[in-house]
Each structure stands twice: as structure tokens, then as C-alpha cells.
Amino acid sequence: MQSIFKIALPVLLAGTIATACQTVQTTHGGAVGVQRSQLMMVSAQEVEQASNQQYQQMVAEARSKNALDRDPATVQRVRRIVSRLAAQTGAFRTDAPSWSWEVHVFSSSELNAWCMAGGKMAIYTGLIERLALTDDEIAAVMGHEIAHALREHARERVSKSMATGLGISVAGALLGVGQLGQDLMGQVAKVTFELPNSREHETEADRMGVELAARAGYDPRAAVTLWNKMAGQSAGAPPQWLSTHPSHATRQRDLAEYAARVIPLYEGARR
């Protein structure tokens, strides 16, 4: 009986993992042409639910520390920019404009911003104030972060983690053991706040971000000035939230090239 179980369990897990895997195209290519299929092992709904729970916890914690949306003028400014960006997300996926978009300003000296699955966002006052960001540069930051959510990079990274963990989470769900929801929240938090994005993910977010900004009527070339400010604040390298890859020079060239490509969209939006 034991030998049968040893043979059957790997086969059963392999079949379950294969069933759970999906190759998806999360977004349209847009003018910048981001087109890459992604392998997913967890559903978009699960990641969005875990992200929303994590977001509500962070908002509640910031509120308890009197660090949430302290300056109404800054909050209004950020929300106006994000609203214009969110309205343009249909260029990449038709469902995105109807997401429950939400953004808060956290009072913190950190140079940080992020967008979780489903459009739950935050930007830190340290980023706005220490870098003296213009509206165009805030649009560059938030467009980049929105692009990560549109491409479901967190879901893809969690899926990769599950795959390299030999499908432990899938096995747990199959066998009815473990705290899968809690584990997923932890995974989402880890890939969102702790681990730097891959070079591939950062490049996709850079390119889609400049297009979102341009379509919303913000100068896409501000992504280059933003990047230079970030590098200047970080001894020539970006902070962890923007990853250390690709290199500064490579990224600067790519941003400049793709910003130039979408200038006609920017000019059209400004008319």
C-alpha cells in the first residue's frame, strides 16, 4: 500500500499542478508592443482578494499612526493624476477601467510607491517631497506601478514561487491542509514589498507606464527625469522598489526611446 501511495502521489500532484497552470495573455500590446504570454498557477481572483486584504491592513495601520492622507492638497493632486491614468488603462485591457481603483498617500520618508492587484495603490510623501516631483513625474511613477498590476506581475511571481516550491500550495489545497489564504497573503506581500522585480517585469512596466502617461496627457519624457532623480538619491542605483535591473544607462536609454515613440499620443491628448 505504501509503495502504491509513493507512486500515486507524485502523479496526482503532477496532474493537479498541470491542471492549475494556465498560459495567459494578461494585456493587449498597446502602442509599445508588450506581448508576452505568462504562466499562472493561481487565479487572478485569489491574488486580488489576498491583495485587497493586505491593502486594508496597511491602510488601517497607517491610519492608526496618523500617517494616512495627512495633506488634503497632496491627496487631491495624486488622485487627480491616478484618475486620469486609470481612465486610459483600457488601451491594455478592457476590464481595467472598471477596477475599484484606490490610492492613498502614506506619510513616510521612504522613496516608495506601489500598485497591488486590482488597482489598490499608495505613494509615499518621501518620494514626492524629497524628489520634488512634478505632476508629469508622479504620472511616471504611478503609470509604472499601474502597469505592474495590469500585467499581473504579482500573480506571475507568486505562480513562479509555487512552481519552484514543487506545487506545495497546490498540494495543500488538494489534500485539505495548511492555511492557503494566509499563505497567499504572505506571498503577495513578499513579492510586492520585499523582493525586487525582475528585469523583464521592470522593462514591461517602464514601457507601458510611459504610454499610460502619454495617453493621460502627461509628458512621457518625465520618466527619464524621474529616473535620474531616483538614481541621484540612491548613490547611482535605484531603490529596491524599482529594482537594480536593468542598469541605469540601459534603462535610461530604453525609457527615452519608448517615451519618444508615444509622443504623438501625448500631443493628441493635449489637444
Side-chain angles (χ1 to χ4, degrees), residues 3 15 19 41 60 68 77 85 105 130 133 138 152 155 165 193 199 205 223-224 263 266:
S3 61
T19 301
M41 293 184 66
L68 184 73
R77 180 187 180 202
L85 292 168
V105 178
R130 287 170 58 188
L133 296 186
I138 291 176
E152 299 186 42
R155 179 185 172 200
F193 307 117
R199 176 175 182 168
V224 178
I263 284 292
Y266 168 59

Side-chain angles (χ1 to χ4, degrees), residues 206 224-225 227-228 246-257:
D206 280 349
V224 178
T225 64
W227 182 252
N228 288 333
S247 70
H248 172 66
T250 299
R251 193 168 200 167
Q252 188 179 44
R253 285 195 301 269
D254 195 73
L255 282 168
E257 177 186 343

Side-chain angles (χ1 to χ4, degrees), residues 49-51 53-54 57 180-190:
Q49 182 179 4
S51 296
Q53 291 173 334
Q54 186 73 35
Q57 288 182 11
L180 190 59
Q182 196 67 30
D183 291 345
L184 185 56
M185 276 184 64
Q187 286 276 12
V188 167
K190 187 173 184 179

Side-chain angles (χ1 to χ4, degrees), residues 111-112 193-197 202 234 237-244:
L111 303 176
N112 203 2
F193 307 117
E194 298 177 22
L195 300 178
N197 284 298
E202 286 295 273
S234 308
Q240 188 172 8
W241 72 280
L242 278 177
S243 179
T244 56

